[in-house]
Amino acid sequence: MAVKIRLTRIGKKKAPSYRVIVADSRSPRDGRFIEEIGYFDPLTNPETVKIDADKAKTWIKNGAQPTDTVRALLKKSGIIE
């Protein structure tokens, strides 16, 4: 099972907000997930990023691959280099 750390969209039309989740790579974007590890709100000024560092590091250590966007958020939060 290939596991990804990615974003899932929540919020209403024209006002997106995202959750950072750990999910099987075969599941749809807003479908089943294993665990929620944070959230991202791009509409606030500055952008709000809240990710549980311990859970993220544990999942990455166990082989989960973050998407490009999540990798950028993790670097911005100082969780990975």
Side-chain angles (χ1 to χ4, degrees):
M1 178 168 78
V3 178
K4 295 258 186 196
I5 302 175
R6 63 186 184 195
L7 297 176
T8 185
R9 190 179 193 278
I10 58 174
K12 57 187 179 180
K13 185 167 60 172
K14 308 260 186 188
S17 182
Y18 301 92
R19 288 187 183 141
V20 181
I21 61 165
V22 178
D24 184 2
S25 62
R26 298 170 292 185
S27 64
R29 179 192 73 180
D30 296 335
R32 280 181 49 192
F33 60 90
I34 300 168
E35 185 176 17
E36 180 183 333
I37 61 172
Y39 61 87
F40 169 58
D41 187 2
L43 297 181
T44 59
N45 190 10
E47 298 173 336
T48 305
V49 178
K50 175 72 173 97
I51 300 174
D52 187 337
D54 294 334
K55 288 182 182 179
K57 287 179 183 177
T58 302
W59 277 106
I60 290 172
K61 186 181 76 170
N62 288 335
Q65 295 294 315
T67 60
D68 294 338
T69 306
V70 173
R71 187 182 311 276
L73 291 175
L74 291 172
K75 285 182 181 179
K76 190 176 187 179
S77 299
I79 296 171
I80 61 172
E81 293 85 36

